[in-house]
Amino acid sequence: MTTEPTSPTTTDRLPGGRREVPRRFWIALVACVVYVLMAAGVGNLLSAVVDGEHHPIADWLVGTWVPVGIMVVAGVFFARRSGWWNDIWHERSVAVGQPRRWWWLAAPALSLTGTAILFSLVPWSEVSAGIIVVVLIGALGVGVGEELYFRGILVTALRARHSEFVVLIVSSVLFGLAHVVGEVIAGLPIGLILFQVAFLSMDGALFYAARRATGTLWVPMLLHGLNDAALFLQTAGRNHEGAEPPATTGVIEILLIALSVAIAISVLRETLRHRRALRTEVDTAGSS
């Protein structure tokens, strides 16, 4: 029988007599909202204090390292104290389960390939060593933070009461919405915002696939952080407008879009199998 990743819906006792925090969607949603407000809202306010054009290192330290660092520490503290720790960080890989979906490993493999191409476009001669170090550490911190909250805390809470298909869709769409708050406030056309949400939701689905394919949250964290670092460094040179990406990049993007659709279909089929198995169990128990 095939089953979906599940989490306890009851409040269990933890070492020291503490009770596990109930795995509720609203608790995880509040955590994600606080992360976005802190990382984006407070981060932008702190960056405004620094002249980023002339002091980019100070801008990154104040606007990214500080707010993201605080939220990563808060997220790890919550994961440890809530009792969700193991389910946040680990799960059984679908590449070795039944049915064995080894092809899901294409998600992290293609994402890493695309990131490597972006790094090849970085104008290294125009970027100081200080900028490289600060951006790399800051971007990795963002990857750790966003994945901890969206593919860790949020996914764990959703799994307690919802099907895996709902987990995929809700966590991916909320990830996309979290990245367009500034565009909404700026009043950009709704069509453009919806396109960005769809594209970013696809990224969220691929990070979700990377987690499930490898069985660990560390892989999407690393992929996410390296991709952000490559994007920032690509245009980090003072006189650099961004190199023209090779045709390979477009091919990879098309493959990633197709892969995200295939993964959504695979998760939908998984959910339907799980429901059929549950109905069979109920019918068998009723007839015995």
XYZ file of all heavy atoms in Angstrom, residues 208-265:
428
model
N 10.355 21.912 -3.488
C 9.600 20.856 -2.816
C 10.029 19.494 -3.355
O 10.243 18.541 -2.584
C 8.104 21.093 -3.047
C 7.210 19.902 -2.803
C 6.602 19.692 -1.561
C 6.942 18.990 -3.827
C 5.767 18.604 -1.351
C 6.103 17.903 -3.620
C 5.525 17.714 -2.386
O 4.697 16.627 -2.177
N 10.164 19.394 -4.675
C 10.584 18.136 -5.296
C 11.998 17.755 -4.876
O 12.298 16.584 -4.651
C 10.494 18.244 -6.813
N 12.876 18.771 -4.755
C 14.251 18.499 -4.324
C 14.268 17.943 -2.911
O 15.054 17.036 -2.594
C 15.081 19.776 -4.396
N 13.400 18.452 -2.062
C 13.305 17.939 -0.687
C 12.832 16.493 -0.688
O 13.434 15.622 -0.057
C 12.330 18.800 0.122
C 12.015 18.194 1.483
C 10.823 18.832 2.181
N 10.408 17.973 3.285
C 10.445 18.311 4.577
N 10.876 19.496 4.933
N 10.044 17.463 5.495
N 11.778 16.209 -1.407
C 11.213 14.861 -1.389
C 12.077 13.863 -2.151
O 12.108 12.672 -1.814
C 9.795 14.875 -1.964
C 8.792 15.633 -1.104
C 7.367 15.229 -1.406
N 7.159 13.814 -1.137
C 6.092 13.135 -1.564
N 5.180 13.744 -2.311
N 5.958 11.856 -1.280
N 12.773 14.315 -3.178
C 13.616 13.406 -3.955
C 14.834 12.954 -3.163
O 15.290 11.815 -3.292
C 14.058 14.071 -5.258
N 15.360 13.857 -2.325
C 16.580 13.546 -1.567
C 16.290 13.177 -0.120
O 17.161 12.609 0.547
C 17.541 14.744 -1.590
O 16.892 15.886 -0.980
C 17.934 15.097 -3.021
N 15.107 13.520 0.365
C 14.743 13.190 1.735
C 15.285 14.133 2.787
O 15.204 13.852 3.976
N 15.825 15.263 2.373
C 16.388 16.221 3.338
C 16.117 17.655 2.902
O 16.101 17.958 1.704
C 17.907 16.008 3.505
O 18.436 17.025 4.371
C 18.627 16.072 2.177
N 15.910 18.521 3.879
C 15.659 19.938 3.600
C 16.932 20.675 3.209
O 16.880 21.743 2.603
C 15.029 20.593 4.839
C 14.534 22.032 4.703
C 13.429 22.141 3.650
C 14.014 22.549 6.049
N 18.089 20.110 3.543
C 19.353 20.785 3.255
C 19.586 20.960 1.756
O 20.208 21.947 1.338
C 20.520 20.013 3.867
C 20.638 20.204 5.345
C 20.379 19.275 6.315
C 21.009 21.404 6.031
N 20.573 19.818 7.564
C 20.968 21.131 7.422
C 21.370 22.683 5.616
C 21.278 22.080 8.387
C 21.685 23.643 6.581
C 21.630 23.336 7.936
N 19.098 20.034 0.946
C 19.335 20.138 -0.506
C 18.623 21.346 -1.107
O 19.256 22.157 -1.792
C 18.941 18.830 -1.221
C 18.988 19.018 -2.742
C 19.884 17.701 -0.816
N 17.295 21.533 -0.909
C 16.679 22.759 -1.435
C 17.248 24.029 -0.831
O 17.307 25.063 -1.496
C 15.184 22.588 -1.112
C 15.129 21.543 -0.063
C 16.287 20.633 -0.314
N 17.673 23.964 0.424
C 18.308 25.136 1.035
C 19.554 25.538 0.249
O 19.753 26.722 -0.079
C 18.694 24.840 2.485
C 17.569 24.892 3.478
S 18.153 24.480 5.156
C 16.708 24.927 6.127
N 20.392 24.556 -0.056
C 21.628 24.829 -0.777
C 21.347 25.289 -2.206
O 21.956 26.272 -2.678
C 22.502 23.573 -0.787
C 23.884 23.707 -1.424
C 24.716 24.729 -0.668
C 24.603 22.358 -1.440
N 20.445 24.617 -2.891
C 20.095 24.999 -4.265
C 19.545 26.419 -4.308
O 19.899 27.211 -5.190
C 19.068 24.020 -4.834
C 19.548 22.597 -5.113
C 18.364 21.718 -5.491
C 20.590 22.591 -6.226
N 18.664 26.722 -3.370
C 18.037 28.045 -3.305
C 19.081 29.129 -3.058
O 19.121 30.151 -3.754
C 16.996 28.048 -2.187
C 16.110 29.249 -2.161
N 14.865 29.233 -1.593
C 16.287 30.518 -2.610
C 14.308 30.421 -1.694
N 15.168 31.235 -2.302
N 19.947 28.900 -2.081
C 20.955 29.892 -1.746
C 21.948 30.128 -2.868
O 22.289 31.280 -3.177
N 22.418 29.064 -3.498
C 23.380 29.204 -4.590
C 22.750 29.910 -5.789
O 23.398 30.730 -6.449
C 23.900 27.830 -5.009
C 24.844 27.140 -4.016
C 25.191 25.742 -4.506
C 26.116 27.967 -3.812
N 21.491 29.606 -6.083
C 20.818 30.267 -7.205
C 20.676 31.763 -6.956
O 20.930 32.580 -7.855
C 19.450 29.635 -7.431
C 18.754 30.196 -8.661
O 17.884 31.060 -8.552
N 19.124 29.709 -9.825
N 20.288 32.138 -5.743
C 20.166 33.560 -5.409
C 21.525 34.253 -5.501
O 21.635 35.376 -6.014
C 19.604 33.725 -3.996
C 18.101 33.517 -3.938
O 17.500 33.260 -4.998
O 17.528 33.589 -2.830
N 22.569 33.591 -5.019
C 23.909 34.176 -5.069
C 24.339 34.401 -6.509
O 24.905 35.456 -6.847
C 24.915 33.267 -4.355
N 24.078 33.431 -7.380
C 24.455 33.563 -8.786
C 23.717 34.716 -9.447
O 24.297 35.481 -10.230
C 24.175 32.253 -9.524
N 22.428 34.864 -9.145
C 21.635 35.945 -9.735
C 22.154 37.313 -9.283
O 22.253 38.243 -10.093
C 20.164 35.785 -9.347
C 19.409 34.630 -10.006
C 18.038 34.463 -9.373
C 19.273 34.872 -11.510
N 22.478 37.450 -7.997
C 22.978 38.725 -7.486
C 24.358 39.048 -8.050
O 24.624 40.179 -8.474
C 23.025 38.703 -5.958
C 21.691 38.861 -5.295
C 21.181 37.870 -4.476
C 20.943 40.011 -5.490
C 19.953 38.013 -3.863
C 19.706 40.166 -4.880
C 19.214 39.163 -4.066
N 25.235 38.075 -8.052
C 26.610 38.311 -8.498
C 26.699 38.551 -9.999
O 27.633 39.207 -10.468
C 27.496 37.123 -8.116
C 27.789 36.975 -6.613
C 28.525 35.664 -6.343
C 28.604 38.165 -6.107
N 25.741 38.028 -10.749
C 25.781 38.194 -12.201
C 25.732 39.656 -12.602
O 26.293 40.063 -13.619
C 24.633 37.437 -12.856
C 24.717 37.402 -14.379
C 23.498 36.758 -15.001
O 22.718 36.119 -14.301
N 23.320 36.924 -16.289
N 25.041 40.471 -11.819
C 24.924 41.900 -12.131
C 25.624 42.752 -11.070
O 25.277 43.899 -10.851
C 23.444 42.314 -12.218
O 22.765 41.944 -11.001
C 22.761 41.620 -13.375
N 26.617 42.169 -10.408
C 27.275 42.883 -9.317
C 28.324 43.877 -9.796
O 28.680 44.796 -9.072
C 27.926 41.884 -8.349
N 28.833 43.702 -11.004
C 29.834 44.625 -11.501
C 29.269 46.019 -11.717
O 28.134 46.175 -12.157
N 30.042 47.031 -11.427
C 29.549 48.408 -11.564
C 29.156 48.736 -13.003
O 28.217 49.473 -13.243
C 30.622 49.400 -11.099
C 30.904 49.359 -9.595
C 32.012 50.327 -9.243
N 32.290 50.323 -7.824
C 31.669 51.089 -6.940
N 30.739 51.911 -7.341
N 31.998 51.025 -5.671
N 29.893 48.191 -13.967
C 29.613 48.511 -15.371
C 29.010 47.317 -16.112
O 29.102 47.214 -17.318
C 30.921 48.927 -16.076
C 31.567 50.131 -15.416
O 30.899 51.099 -15.090
N 32.877 50.042 -15.195
N 28.370 46.435 -15.343
C 27.873 45.205 -15.948
C 26.348 45.209 -15.959
O 25.720 45.376 -14.929
C 28.390 43.996 -15.171
C 28.156 42.700 -15.864
N 28.868 42.320 -16.965
C 27.287 41.698 -15.603
C 28.465 41.131 -17.358
N 27.497 40.732 -16.545
N 25.765 45.005 -17.113
C 24.311 44.994 -17.249
C 23.745 43.577 -17.238
O 22.551 43.387 -17.287
C 23.897 45.685 -18.563
C 24.313 47.145 -18.659
C 23.640 47.986 -17.593
O 22.536 47.621 -17.149
O 24.230 48.999 -17.189
N 24.595 42.577 -17.165
C 24.112 41.204 -17.201
C 24.414 40.573 -18.540
O 23.958 41.060 -19.576
N 25.194 39.527 -18.544
C 25.577 38.885 -19.796
C 24.396 38.167 -20.427
O 23.470 37.744 -19.739
C 26.714 37.892 -19.525
N 24.441 38.058 -21.743
C 23.384 37.355 -22.462
C 23.488 35.865 -22.156
O 24.504 35.232 -22.391
C 23.555 37.576 -23.967
C 22.439 36.976 -24.809
C 21.112 37.691 -24.612
O 21.129 38.884 -24.216
O 20.078 37.056 -24.827
N 22.409 35.267 -21.596
C 22.489 33.846 -21.249
C 22.549 32.978 -22.496
O 21.956 33.316 -23.527
C 21.188 33.610 -20.472
C 20.253 34.664 -20.963
C 21.120 35.862 -21.253
N 23.254 31.861 -22.422
C 23.340 30.970 -23.571
C 22.002 30.278 -23.829
O 21.116 30.264 -22.972
C 24.420 29.968 -23.143
C 24.355 29.975 -21.649
C 24.015 31.384 -21.275
N 21.881 29.671 -25.020
C 20.637 28.988 -25.380
C 20.334 27.848 -24.417
O 19.159 27.494 -24.210
C 20.740 28.464 -26.809
N 21.371 27.298 -23.811
C 21.187 26.190 -22.870
C 20.277 26.588 -21.714
O 19.489 25.778 -21.216
C 22.546 25.746 -22.302
O 23.470 25.551 -23.364
C 22.403 24.466 -21.506
N 20.370 27.848 -21.286
C 19.546 28.318 -20.183
C 18.070 28.211 -20.523
O 17.254 27.772 -19.705
C 19.897 29.771 -19.822
O 21.287 29.865 -19.516
C 19.076 30.249 -18.637
N 17.710 28.622 -21.741
C 16.318 28.529 -22.172
C 15.829 27.099 -22.216
O 14.681 26.806 -21.835
N 16.680 26.199 -22.661
C 16.316 24.778 -22.712
C 16.062 24.247 -21.309
O 15.088 23.532 -21.060
C 17.430 23.959 -23.405
C 17.121 22.473 -23.317
C 17.582 24.391 -24.850
N 16.939 24.614 -20.374
C 16.773 24.159 -18.993
C 15.487 24.712 -18.389
O 14.761 24.006 -17.674
C 17.996 24.568 -18.151
C 19.222 23.767 -18.589
C 17.725 24.352 -16.657
C 20.494 24.152 -17.878
N 15.171 25.983 -18.680
C 13.934 26.573 -18.165
C 12.719 25.811 -18.680
O 11.771 25.537 -17.925
C 13.837 28.044 -18.575
C 14.787 28.967 -17.832
C 14.461 29.066 -16.362
O 13.299 28.790 -15.981
O 15.367 29.415 -15.590
N 12.726 25.452 -19.960
C 11.611 24.692 -20.535
C 11.503 23.325 -19.862
O 10.400 22.861 -19.517
C 11.793 24.530 -22.052
C 11.667 25.893 -22.738
C 10.766 23.556 -22.631
C 11.997 25.869 -24.214
N 12.654 22.679 -19.648
C 12.657 21.377 -18.989
C 12.152 21.483 -17.551
O 11.417 20.602 -17.071
C 14.067 20.786 -19.009
C 14.598 20.336 -20.370
C 16.054 19.880 -20.247
C 13.745 19.205 -20.939
N 12.522 22.563 -16.862
C 12.074 22.740 -15.485
C 10.570 22.984 -15.416
O 9.896 22.499 -14.497
C 12.830 23.899 -14.830
C 14.289 23.626 -14.476
C 14.968 24.899 -13.982
C 14.397 22.526 -13.418
N 10.040 23.732 -16.361
C 8.589 23.954 -16.403
C 7.866 22.633 -16.618
O 6.889 22.310 -15.919
C 8.233 24.960 -17.516
C 8.747 26.354 -17.155
C 6.714 25.003 -17.731
C 8.602 27.366 -18.275
N 8.348 21.862 -17.593
C 7.734 20.557 -17.867
C 7.857 19.638 -16.659
O 6.924 18.896 -16.310
C 8.388 19.927 -19.095
N 9.006 19.693 -15.992
C 9.237 18.847 -14.830
C 8.313 19.220 -13.676
O 7.790 18.341 -12.976
C 10.694 18.961 -14.389
C 11.135 18.072 -13.217
C 10.935 16.600 -13.569
C 12.601 18.341 -12.885
N 8.096 20.518 -13.472
C 7.208 20.944 -12.390
C 5.781 20.463 -12.632
O 5.079 20.068 -11.692
C 7.241 22.471 -12.244
O 6.711 23.109 -13.392
N 5.336 20.469 -13.900
C 4.002 19.956 -14.238
C 3.939 18.453 -13.988
O 2.975 17.935 -13.416
C 3.650 20.272 -15.704
C 2.333 19.596 -16.100
C 3.550 21.780 -15.917
N 4.996 17.734 -14.398
C 5.041 16.279 -14.200
C 5.019 15.937 -12.718
O 4.369 14.965 -12.298
C 6.285 15.707 -14.867
N 5.706 16.726 -11.908
C 5.741 16.481 -10.467
C 4.367 16.715 -9.857
O 3.906 15.940 -9.005
C 6.800 17.373 -9.807
C 8.204 16.844 -10.137
C 6.599 17.450 -8.295
C 9.316 17.785 -9.797
N 3.685 17.774 -10.290
C 2.335 18.041 -9.794
C 1.399 16.881 -10.133
O 0.590 16.453 -9.294
C 1.803 19.347 -10.386
N 1.506 16.351 -11.338
C 0.679 15.204 -11.740
C 1.025 13.980 -10.904
O 0.140 13.234 -10.454
C 0.868 14.907 -13.244
C 0.317 16.070 -14.081
C 0.178 13.600 -13.631
C 0.609 15.945 -15.566
